[in-house]
Amino acid sequence: MRLLIRCLVLCLVVTAAAVPAGARGRPTPPTPTQQPGPVTPAALKAQANQAAAKYAAAQTAYAQLDDQIAALEGQLSDLAGRLGPLRERITRQAVAVYQGDVVAAAVTDFEALAAMMRSDHSAHIVADLSARDIPAIDTLLDTRQRIHDRQAELLARRHDQDVTMADLTAQRDQIAAELNAMAAAMPPPAPRPPLPRASRSASALGQRLLRGAPSFLCPIDGPLAFTDDFGAPRGGGRRHMGNDLLSPRGTPNVAVLNGTIETRPWAGGGITIFLRGDDGSAYVYMHLMQIVGAVPRWVAQGEVIGLVGNTGDAQGYHTHFEFHPGGGDAVSPYPLLAAACR
């Protein structure tokens, strides 16, 4: 037995000696695979796009809450409209049945009136009422309870909306930080070559030469974040008919293709540019801070036509971008954007 104890003590001593003194009581250092690597522009863009997806989800939640609040307000208005005639009808019946102070009490407290009319003491009076009067009282009390319930639900939805708005604000701040990091990591932009004069002239040959443009170009010339939020719910039962391209204020918007641009009012779009591409499709840029250059005019692909803003019905700085193939209904521009905005 003593020999066994001596062996155990010896093993413990050897084990303790094998551990460096400086390492005792300290956590194990991370392996090389645990060490964070340098943040690349691609990683920054992925982070920004993830933040944009969260932001789009919060926008959808906010819009749905807005519709729920509008529906509750409509229900409350409808219930209040029903309450008036019910009060008037039951008050008239109470005046016809009761006299003096009893009437005064009844018309100011309908719950007391209902209890009085249902009591054994008033059974002989209730017998004189038509079969519709008691259901009318029940309807009145039910309507008042429903109003109370809808008011409580309305308060809860408004609280949820306030929480969602705070989340939207936090998401916007995060995206702004991501975009600023992207801008700092991007190389300085190369100087733009001047547009050939033929693009501004009436020369048909020059126009045709310039229109031999390459494929779709990213509409934002600078840091941006976006997700596929086409079709997402918006307030009033509407749907989001484009993709929101989140970018710092004043970032250049460029023509995605050769074509003609114009501007006209467009619901809540604020300052809006419509580009009729030489491919026959229409491309729409909304919420701009300003339009660059004269409109209408013909533009070459890559030419700056506007600056990112938040005009119209917009939350935060972004360009709402739409794609209308052949000038028809809008379809999701996300496949085009995902391929071009790398």
Side-chain angles (χ1 to χ4, degrees):
M1 184 66 181
R2 291 180 179 177
L3 180 60
L4 178 60
I5 293 173
R6 288 176 182 174
C7 289
L8 289 172
V9 171
L10 181 61
C11 289
L12 289 172
V13 171
V14 171
T15 302
V19 180
R24 296 171 191 168
R26 293 193 322 207
T28 304
T31 61
T33 57
Q34 294 173 307
Q35 295 288 349
V39 180
T40 63
L44 288 172
K45 184 169 182 59
Q47 291 173 8
N49 286 344
Q50 289 173 0
K54 292 179 181 177
Y55 182 77
Q59 278 188 307
T60 296
Y62 188 87
Q64 291 171 334
L65 285 168
D66 203 40
D67 284 344
Q68 291 173 17
I69 288 172
L72 286 168
E73 288 174 340
Q75 292 173 17
L76 280 169
S77 177
D78 179 63
L79 289 169
R82 298 181 192 178
L83 199 61
L86 283 169
R87 282 177 179 271
E88 184 179 354
R89 177 182 173 185
I90 295 173
T91 300
R92 284 199 308 267
Q93 187 60 51
V95 170
V97 173
Y98 295 99
Q99 299 294 326
D101 294 338
V102 178
V103 174
V107 298
T108 56
D109 189 343
F110 288 97
E111 285 81 357
L113 171 63
M116 186 182 304
M117 295 181 72
R118 291 180 181 281
S119 68
D120 293 337
H121 179 69
S122 301
H124 66 286
I125 299 178
V126 173
D128 294 334
L129 301 177
S130 69
R132 293 176 298 176
D133 292 320
I134 293 300
I137 294 173
D138 292 339
T139 302
L140 173 67
L141 298 178
D142 178 67
T143 300
R144 292 185 67 180
Q145 183 59 47
R146 289 170 64 190
I147 287 176
H148 179 271
D149 293 343
R150 295 299 180 277
Q151 287 173 336
E153 189 176 355
L154 181 59
L155 287 175
R157 294 292 78 76
R158 283 176 173 161
H159 171 74
D160 292 344
Q161 195 175 45
D162 289 342
V163 172
T164 304
M165 177 56 72
D167 185 41
L168 278 169
T169 302
Q171 293 292 343
R172 279 202 299 268
D173 292 343
Q174 180 183 351
I175 291 170
E178 301 283 358
L179 293 174
N180 288 336
M182 287 174 61
M186 292 175 69
R192 294 179 177 275
L195 291 174
R197 291 186 179 276
S199 68
R200 303 186 185 94
S201 72
S203 167
L205 176 61
Q207 295 277 349
R208 287 197 298 271
L209 290 174
L210 282 172
R211 292 180 187 188
S215 59
F216 182 91
L217 187 69
C218 182
I220 303 294
D221 185 14
L224 80 157
F226 62 96
T227 189
D228 189 5
D229 53 350
F230 181 86
R234 290 294 185 263
R238 298 175 296 114
R239 293 282 174 176
H240 195 229
M241 303 310 293
N243 288 156
D244 284 345
L245 309 180
L246 283 63
S247 192
R249 178 180 184 272
T251 304
N253 285 229
V254 300
V256 296
L257 290 171
N258 296 342
T260 302
I261 62 170
E262 63 175 346
T263 185
R264 61 178 183 270
W266 186 264
I271 299 175
T272 301
I273 287 177
F274 298 85
L275 168 61
R276 174 69 66 176
D278 285 356
D279 63 347
S281 296
Y283 305 88
V284 186
Y285 305 67
M286 295 185 186
H287 308 307
L288 301 175
M289 182 174 76
Q290 70 179 67
I291 297 172
V292 176
V295 285
R297 78 177 191 272
W298 188 88
V299 294
Q301 184 185 50
E303 184 175 344
V304 176
I305 58 176
L307 303 178
V308 170
N310 64 345
T311 58
D313 184 11
Q315 294 180 347
Y317 295 109
H318 70 279
T319 294
H320 171 91
F321 184 80
E322 293 186 8
F323 172 42
H324 297 254
D329 293 337
V331 303
S332 175
Y334 186 77
L336 292 172
L337 295 169
C341 302
R342 297 183 179 276

